[in-house]
């Protein structure tokens, strides 16, 4: 079985994916793949530079993530341009890794962590979609603490994604991560048991 794991920025997807891996699930991490396609020498990074200019690079030739992030979070058309460059390559790699794991380990759960799963229209790739949920106010608070952002900066980033309440409605499985870590773990234990992996 495979599931797509998603949520909003700062809802705790990595916490939930770590709990699932701790149970024995296999993980495909879209963020890791997204970082790999932005390494020097990769054709995707070359296409990003061609569109956004050399100013998105640091002196050592690596991507200046903060600068690119500032450019695209404030400008929907530039965000779309970045997504049009990066998403096809990322999707292809996700699918290849997922199918490879399913072939090699047919009895294991394969979890694919994709922050923008719904925004990218990828639901059909998965048997079920799990959403890690926290209310928007909690998201904002956590993002401010984690990234050292102001309230407005955090809100701008949150608003660049589909509303978390909408993601919750679309989910097959909801993990509420707004309480204590033990409560999140209990929900994962319950999901594992119900799915027949225990």
């Amino acid at each position: 079985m495979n599931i797509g794991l998603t949520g909003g920025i700062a809802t705790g997807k990595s916490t939930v994916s770590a709990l699932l891996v701790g149970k024995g699930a296999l993980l495909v991490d879209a963020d890791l793949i997204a970082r790999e396609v932005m390494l020097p020498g990769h054709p995707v990074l070359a296409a990003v530079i061609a569109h956004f200019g050399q100013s998105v690079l640091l002196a050592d030739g690596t991507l200046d993530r903060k600068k690119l992030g500032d450019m695209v979070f404030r400008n929907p058309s530039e965000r779309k341009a970045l997504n049009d460059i990066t998403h096809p390559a990322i999707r292809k790699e996700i699918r290849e890794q997922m199918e490879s794991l399913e072939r090699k380990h047919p009895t294991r759960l394969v979890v694919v962590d994709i922050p923008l799963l719904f925004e990218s229209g990828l639901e059909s790739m998965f048997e079920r979609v799990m959403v890690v949920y926290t209310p928007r106010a909690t998201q904002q608070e956590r993002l401010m603490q984690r990234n050292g952002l102001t309230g407005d900066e955090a809100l701008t980033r949150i608003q660049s994604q589909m509303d978390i309440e909408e993601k919750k409605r679309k989910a097959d499985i909801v993990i509420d991560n707004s309480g204590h870590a033990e409560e999140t773990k209990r929900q994962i234990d319950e999901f594992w048991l119900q799915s027949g992996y225990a």
Side-chain angles (χ1 to χ4, degrees):
M1 177 178 158
N2 67 60
I3 60 169
L5 175 69
T6 194
I9 193 168
T11 57
K13 290 180 303 301
S14 55
T15 299
V16 168
S17 67
L19 287 168
L20 288 165
V21 167
K23 291 267 189 201
L26 301 167
L27 181 67
V28 177
D29 185 339
D31 271 350
L32 184 61
I33 292 169
R35 282 195 291 276
E36 286 169 355
V37 302
M38 290 298 200
L39 291 174
H42 199 288
V44 172
L45 178 60
V48 167
I49 296 162
H51 179 85
F52 291 95
Q54 293 285 333
S55 68
V56 297
L57 292 181
L58 294 166
D60 64 359
T62 59
L63 182 67
D64 186 338
R65 292 185 171 280
K66 185 174 184 337
K67 184 153 196 181
L68 183 62
D70 289 344
M71 282 180 176
V72 301
F73 277 118
R74 297 188 204 306
N75 187 329
S77 67
E78 290 291 53
R79 189 162 64 243
K80 183 183 182 311
L82 179 64
N83 291 344
D84 288 346
I85 294 167
T86 58
H87 284 187
I90 294 167
R91 264 198 294 270
K92 180 173 181 284
E93 184 62 28
I94 286 169
R95 191 180 293 279
E96 285 174 4
Q97 286 189 22
M98 183 175 83
E99 288 172 355
S100 169
L101 288 173
E102 287 179 315
R103 271 195 312 275
K104 290 176 187 161
H105 310 278
T107 61
R108 305 269 293 276
L109 174 68
V110 177
V111 176
V112 184
D113 181 343
I114 307 183
L116 301 179
L117 189 151
F118 289 122
E119 291 89 337
S120 305
L122 299 179
E123 304 95 304
S124 63
M125 276 177 70
F126 306 103
E127 290 168 54
R128 299 171 84 192
V129 174
M130 177 184 281
V131 167
V132 183
Y133 171 83
T134 62
R136 182 184 275 205
T138 308
Q139 252 186 301
Q140 188 176 3
E141 195 179 300
R142 287 179 181 173
L143 189 56
M144 286 164 67
Q145 286 174 356
R146 187 183 81 185
N147 291 25
L149 302 174
T150 66
D152 284 346
E153 286 171 335
L155 200 56
T156 299
R157 298 208 171 193
I158 290 166
Q159 288 171 338
S160 75
Q161 298 183 345
M162 182 186 290
D163 185 83
I164 192 64
E165 300 299 334
E166 176 70 10
K167 290 185 180 186
K168 185 181 179 184
R169 281 192 293 275
K170 287 171 162 276
D172 299 305
I173 309 146
V174 176
I175 301 295
D176 187 330
N177 190 37
S178 53
H180 291 290
E182 274 308 307
E183 175 55 23
T184 303
K185 183 180 179 302
R186 185 196 62 74
Q187 292 172 73
I188 295 297
D189 290 346
E190 201 172 284
F191 160 76
W192 199 258
L193 199 60
Q194 287 172 352
S195 302
Y197 287 102

